[in-house]
Amino acid sequence: MVLNRDWRGLIANYGIYIGFFGLIVALSLITDRFLTFRNLLNVAEQASLISIVGIGMTMVILMGEIDLSVGSIVALSGVVTGGSLTGGLGLPISLLIGLGTGLGLGLVNGIITVYGEIPSFIVTLGMLSVAKGLTLLYTGGKPVWGFGDVFKFIGGGKLFGIPLPVIIAACLYLLALVILNFTQIGRYIYAIGGNQRAVRLAGVKVERLKMVVFGVSGFFAAISGIILASRLASAQPTAGSGWELDAIAAVVLGGTSLYGGEGQLAGTLVGALIFSVINNGMILTGIPTFFQYVVKGGIIILALLLDKKLRQS
Amino acid sequence: MSESGTPVKEEKGQAEPDTGTPLVEMRGITKRFGGLTALNEVDLSVGFSEVVGLVGDNGAGKSTLISILSGALRQTRGELLYKGEKVDIRTPEDAKELGIETVYQDLALADNIDVAGNLFLGREIGAYTLGPFKFLARKKMRQKAREVLEVLNIGFDSMRTKVRNLSGGQRQAIAVARSIYTDPDLVILDEPTAALAVEESERVLDLINDLQEQGISVIFISHTLQEVFSTADRIVVLNQGNKVGDLKPEETDMDEVVKLMIGGRYDNGSE
């Protein structure tokens, strides 16, 4: 295949969007059940929770770090919120406790990574286990349930016919996009991924910012966990298991470099949507769902191989 | 900090060169790392608008000496005078506050950020602020960046080019431009030409002359004696942590400087 430089660059930069579009066209041609409003909403809803986790993950990865604890934080913040609710603490306080749990554990990740000077891979791997253990200790391994209708509305409700989780995810993306692309803090997040020492020498409080971003990642995981508990009308101790990898997959498929400094939040959203579309398409076309793991993994590897080949020349 | 700071050096009305007081004086600077003496009673002075070339073999103590002046290291003994007054430089921020800027050998640029972004790193101009979020005035920063670089006679196609895609000389120019944006008295350049092709090296040397014309003093480290002879007003030679020469280029030659740099190596073993 002979492509000139410009085309290669174009495909390398926008390949994910082209791929996403191609996938939608292909599925629309294969099955007429795909391109319906109802089904597309379904796809969006499926993608919403992982993509919310993906926002924090994108910020962390842009700084050249990683957060493996988000899946466990999803579960812990879910059961803590659920437990507070059933314990009679009321919705606002329960939500605060749940969100605070995510934010707090994220900040702990950040503090140990930054001030303990331990790689975030190790710190958050440890936190993955700690949060999982805390979840099991808190629940005794049993799901928490028996929530009121108001709480269930968060994950199960609709606004103008659109599921609330989709609206929440969209709002959070908009907010994060603006921060990352137009503010000083966003600039620093990218610059830290490019050359942390340079940013520090420029007088920026790099340590504090990194700590906060880890906190934000935990916070977004908590939002996701609370929505999940609400949608299922029960907080499962095993919820969110493996989501850290799904989120990382969406970030990487979205074109963000694991080395930091390069990437776009919009790519993460499309990455999460692609996985959701594939999942949906396989169900619609009757392919056994166990295949999805194989397909998902294959897509990530192929996409990155292609990206590398296109950028090499 | 310097929101309205112009890149062009203006008359400062501070201590004039002709009073005889140098801009910077380092007196009897000794630095020990454990049992190792990296610097031994070294004196160094830099006059107003003076360019000092610092030379010496590897391990002679050049980097240690400028690190003390730029706040990256603290001396074990000795004192620093700035415009005749005794000062204590504990951190890089202290040095910057006095008016001493340092361009590190690795330039400390973020490769993934564009020209304007690097120039304004850490002192971004905001269009407006919302809580903790300062929204970047990108256009204004690009325009100002262009002005700053024009003063240095360095042409760039676009302020949006990522620094990664620039030549070594252009990168050096950005680092220098960033250092003079705060209107410093002294710029320290750590081996500014080490990684550059010949032609680009010459442009950087021109840049040093430009700084001097704007009234900025310069200390630069170099391994290329030709550069030092063509650019510096004074040459300071270090050898194994001792100052062994403080010469004017017109009163010496390369042979003498080389001899000072490598001389006395084996008969200086007395501790």
Side-chain angles (χ1 to χ4, degrees):
Chain A
M1 187 164 59
V2 185
L3 282 172
N4 70 33
R5 249 190 130 78
D6 293 347
W7 279 104
R8 279 170 181 269
L10 208 65
I11 293 175
N13 285 329
Y14 299 101
I16 171 91
Y17 306 102
I18 299 168
F20 182 51
F21 185 70
L23 194 62
I24 287 174
V25 170
L27 277 172
S28 309
L29 294 175
I30 294 168
T31 162
D32 54 5
R33 284 187 297 164
F34 177 75
L35 203 63
T36 63
F37 186 62
R38 182 186 294 263
N39 188 55
L40 290 182
L41 276 186
N42 190 16
V43 168
E45 192 176 1
Q46 291 295 332
S48 60
L49 295 184
I50 290 289
S51 51
I52 290 173
V53 176
I55 297 173
M57 188 67 81
T58 306
M59 293 183 178
V60 169
I61 290 180
L62 279 175
M63 294 190 314
E65 304 287 346
I66 195 95
D67 188 351
L68 298 175
S69 67
V70 286
S72 293
I73 292 179
V74 164
L76 182 59
S77 49
V79 298
V80 166
T81 308
S84 305
L85 272 174
T86 53
L89 282 179
L91 186 60
I93 291 176
S94 303
L95 289 180
L96 278 180
I97 289 174
L99 294 172
T101 302
L103 179 66
L105 293 186
L107 285 174
V108 170
N109 280 334
I111 290 167
I112 299 174
T113 301
V114 170
Y115 297 105
E117 292 179 37
I118 297 170
S120 51
F121 185 94
I122 304 297
V123 175
T124 58
L125 186 64
M127 185 59 82
L128 183 158
S129 187
V130 169
K132 188 184 251 177
L134 290 177
T135 305
L136 292 170
L137 284 169
Y138 185 81
T139 60
K142 295 191 241 353
V144 181
W145 53 282
F147 310 137
D149 285 341
V150 184
F151 179 68
K152 286 189 214 159
F153 183 77
I154 297 172
K158 287 184 178 181
L159 220 60
F160 310 115
I162 299 170
L164 210 51
V166 175
I167 295 173
I168 295 172
C171 291
L172 292 177
Y173 262 88
L174 218 58
L175 186 73
L177 267 172
V178 169
I179 291 170
L180 270 178
N181 290 310
F182 299 109
T183 72
Q184 193 178 35
I185 287 175
R187 166 63 53 82
Y188 291 159
I189 289 174
Y190 275 92
I192 286 171
N195 187 347
Q196 179 166 315
R197 187 175 151 266
V199 185
R200 192 179 290 122
L201 284 172
V204 180
K205 294 195 171 71
V206 170
E207 284 72 20
R208 202 178 63 186
L209 179 58
K210 284 184 98 162
M211 199 183 76
V212 169
V213 171
F214 274 103
V216 166
S217 180
F219 185 76
F220 279 115
I223 293 178
S224 202
I226 290 169
I227 296 173
L228 181 65
S230 160
R231 190 164 76 187
L232 301 176
S234 72
Q236 305 282 341
T238 54
S241 169
W243 280 22
E244 61 281 345
L245 298 182
D246 287 348
I248 293 169
V251 171
V252 170
L253 187 64
T256 296
S257 162
L258 278 176
Y259 298 106
E262 301 289 342
Q264 282 297 328
L265 186 61
T268 302
L269 179 59
V270 174
L273 282 170
I274 284 181
F275 288 129
S276 179
V277 166
I278 289 169
N279 210 358
N280 178 263
M282 288 173 86
I283 293 167
L284 292 182
T285 52
I287 300 170
T289 45
F290 289 160
F291 271 113
Q292 67 171 283
Y293 297 108
V294 182
V295 173
K296 231 158 78 173
I299 283 177
I300 297 172
I301 294 167
L302 268 178
L304 288 188
L305 263 179
L306 193 65
D307 183 68
K308 186 163 188 186
K309 287 283 164 221
L310 284 168
R311 285 180 199 276
Q312 259 168 4
S313 43
Chain B
M1 267 190 318
S2 65
E3 300 280 312
S4 60
T6 57
V8 186
K9 187 82 178 177
E10 285 163 25
E11 294 303 328
K12 280 194 141 184
Q14 287 152 342
E16 292 86 39
D18 56 16
T19 59
T21 311
L23 173 65
V24 174
E25 263 190 284
M26 303 178 85
R27 286 187 189 162
I29 299 293
T30 296
K31 176 68 187 177
R32 292 204 186 89
F33 296 103
L36 180 87
T37 303
L39 290 173
N40 183 27
E41 301 279 325
V42 173
D43 298 327
L44 175 76
S45 73
V46 184
F48 286 82
S49 305
E50 190 182 26
V51 176
V52 173
L54 192 56
V55 299
D57 206 353
N58 289 334
K62 309 182 295 286
S63 291
T64 310
L65 189 62
I66 62 160
S67 296
I68 288 169
L69 195 52
S70 66
L73 289 175
R74 289 204 76 191
Q75 70 271 28
T76 314
R77 224 177 36 232
E79 55 182 23
L80 302 172
L81 281 84
Y82 198 74
K83 292 177 183 165
E85 280 176 37
K86 224 181 133 181
V87 290
D88 206 10
I89 303 177
R90 291 162 183 271
T91 62
E93 283 71 33
D94 287 348
K96 283 182 187 180
E97 214 152 286
L98 285 173
I100 301 172
E101 286 280 342
T102 308
V103 178
Y104 297 92
Q105 195 174 354
D106 70 355
L107 303 183
L109 300 172
D111 276 348
N112 58 330
I113 306 290
D114 66 10
V115 176
N118 268 287
L119 242 163
F120 284 94
L121 193 62
R123 48 164 176 265
E124 284 79 3
I125 300 173
Y128 48 93
T129 305
L130 212 76
F133 302 111
K134 190 188 206 179
F135 285 79
L136 301 176
R138 293 161 175 245
K139 213 170 177 181
K140 195 168 170 192
M141 284 196 279
R142 279 199 293 272
Q143 188 196 328
K144 283 228 166 198
R146 195 175 292 281
E147 287 169 20
V148 177
L149 291 167
E150 262 166 21
V151 170
L152 293 176
N153 297 317
I154 308 282
F156 284 89
D157 295 338
S158 165
M159 292 297 112
R160 298 190 202 202
T161 314
K162 287 189 177 175
V163 165
R164 161 181 312 132
N165 300 322
L166 299 174
S167 73
Q170 287 174 314
R171 291 162 56 89
Q172 186 77 47
I174 294 169
V176 171
R178 188 167 69 182
S179 76
I180 64 161
Y181 193 80
T182 50
D183 209 9
D185 302 309
L186 171 68
V187 172
I188 300 169
L189 301 168
D190 189 0
E191 300 207 29
T193 58
L196 302 185
V198 176
E199 195 180 320
E200 288 203 318
S201 294
E202 273 163 22
R203 289 183 67 180
V204 170
L205 297 178
D206 287 343
L207 208 58
I208 292 176
N209 288 327
D210 287 347
L211 295 184
Q212 185 176 24
E213 272 168 32
Q214 289 178 39
I216 299 172
S217 306
V218 177
I219 300 178
F220 77 107
I221 292 181
S222 177
H223 276 297
T224 314
L225 287 182
Q226 283 94 332
E227 288 178 8
V228 180
F229 270 84
S230 70
T231 313
D233 298 321
R234 208 145 47 77
I235 301 171
V236 171
V237 190
L238 292 184
N239 185 345
Q240 290 189 313
N242 296 293
K243 184 162 103 171
V244 292
D246 197 333
L247 313 148
K248 287 199 154 74
E250 58 272 19
E251 292 168 5
T252 182
D253 56 38
M254 284 190 207
D255 280 346
E256 187 186 4
V257 172
V258 170
K259 272 186 193 138
L260 288 169
M261 279 169 70
I262 61 169
R265 175 133 313 170
Y266 300 103
D267 51 47
N268 199 14
S270 57
E271 291 290 335

